[in-house]
C-alpha cells in the first residue's frame, strides 16, 4: 500500500510543480503584458504628443493668419479714414475755389459792364465811324441817280433827270 502513497505524493509533487510552473507562466505573461502595456502607453503618448504638436502648429498658423487679417482690417479702416479726410479736404478746397471763382467772375462781370458803360458813354454824341463821309454820300447819291437813269432809259421812256 505504500505504493499508492508514493504515487500520490509524486502526483502531488507534480501537481505542485505544475501549479508553480503555471504561476510562473502567469507571472511571466503578466510581466510581458505589463511591458507591452508600458510600450503601448509610451507609443500612445508619443503619438499623442506628435498630434498635439501638429494641432498646436496648426493653431499657431490659424492665430497668425487671424492676426494678419486683423492687421489688414485695421489698415483698411485707417485707409478709409484717410480717404474720408482727404475727400473732405478736397471738397473744402473745391468749395473755396468755387467761391473764389464766383467772386472773380462777379468782379470781371462788373468790370466788363463798367467798361461797356464807359465806352457807350464815350460813343454817344459822336458820328458813326462806319457811316459814309459827306463825299462818299454824294458819290453814292450820284451813283444811284446814274443807275436810275440807265435803268430808266432801258426800261422806261428813256428820260433821265
Amino acid at each position: 500500500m505504500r505504493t499508492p502513497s508514493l504515487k500520490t505524493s509524486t502526483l502531488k509533487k507534480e501537481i505542485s510543480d505544475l501549479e508553480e510552473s503555471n504561476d510562473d507562466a502567469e507571472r511571466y505573461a503578466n510581466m510581458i503584458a505589463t511591458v507591452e502595456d508600458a510600450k503601448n502607453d509610451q507609443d500612445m503618448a508619443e503619438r499623442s504628443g506628435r498630434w498635439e504638436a501638429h494641432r498646436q502648429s496648426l493653431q499657431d498658423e490659424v492665430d497668425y493668419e487671424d492676426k494678419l487679417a486683423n492687421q489688414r482690417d485695421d489698415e483698411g479702416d485707417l485707409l478709409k479714414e484717410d480717404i474720408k479726410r482727404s475727400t473732405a479736404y478736397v471738397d473744402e478746397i473745391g468749395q473755396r475755389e468755387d467761391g473764389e471763382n464766383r467772386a472773380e467772375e462777379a468782379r470781371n462781370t462788373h468790370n466788363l459792364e463798367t467798361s461797356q458803360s464807359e465806352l457807350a458813354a464815350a460813343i454817344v454824341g459822336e458820328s458813326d465811324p462806319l457811316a459814309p463821309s459827306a463825299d462818299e454820300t454824294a458819290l453814292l447819291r450820284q451813283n444811284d441817280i446814274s443807275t436810275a437813269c440807265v435803268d430808266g432809259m432801258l426800261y422806261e421812256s428813256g428820260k433821265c433827270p
Side-chain angles (χ1 to χ4, degrees):
M1 289 227 177
R2 273 196 154 206
T3 321
S5 130
L6 184 61
K7 227 178 185 191
T8 306
S9 95
T10 309
L11 279 175
K12 284 184 181 180
K13 173 82 170 131
E14 281 182 22
I15 290 175
S16 173
D17 286 346
L18 281 174
E19 286 176 350
E20 209 175 288
S21 175
N22 198 17
D23 287 342
D24 288 344
E26 188 176 334
R27 278 192 300 272
Y28 182 72
N30 285 339
M31 278 186 348
I32 290 174
T34 302
V35 168
E36 285 180 3
D37 286 347
K39 186 177 178 185
N40 287 340
D41 288 346
Q42 183 180 2
D43 287 347
M44 287 301 280
E46 287 175 5
R47 267 193 217 129
S48 178
R50 283 194 305 269
W51 278 106
E52 180 58 28
H54 182 64
R55 187 203 65 75
Q56 186 60 46
S57 172
L58 292 175
Q59 185 62 48
D60 291 346
E61 192 173 322
V62 166
D63 292 345
Y64 179 72
E65 291 296 326
D66 286 346
K67 180 181 175 183
L68 289 179
N70 289 336
Q71 285 177 344
R72 285 190 295 267
D73 289 345
D74 292 345
E75 289 171 359
D77 291 342
L78 290 174
L79 285 173
K80 286 178 188 176
E81 290 174 16
D82 190 39
I83 288 170
K84 285 179 184 177
R85 280 192 307 274
S86 297
T87 302
Y89 179 70
V90 167
D91 288 346
E92 179 184 324
I93 289 174
Q95 290 173 355
R96 191 175 338 129
E97 286 179 354
D98 285 347
E100 291 170 358
N101 288 343
R102 281 193 292 273
E104 185 178 352
E105 182 181 3
R107 279 191 308 274
N108 290 341
T109 301
H110 176 70
N111 291 341
L112 178 63
E113 289 172 353
T114 302
S115 296
Q116 288 174 342
S117 174
E118 289 172 357
L119 183 60
I123 292 176
V124 171
E126 290 188 14
S127 62
D128 185 2
L130 299 177
S133 66
D135 291 340
E136 290 174 326
T137 305
L139 284 173
L140 286 172
R141 190 169 302 149
Q142 198 176 14
N143 190 21
D144 287 342
I145 292 170
S146 296
T147 303
C149 281
V150 171
D151 287 343
M153 286 171 42
L154 294 174
Y155 299 111
E156 292 181 12
S157 63
K159 299 179 184 174
C160 237

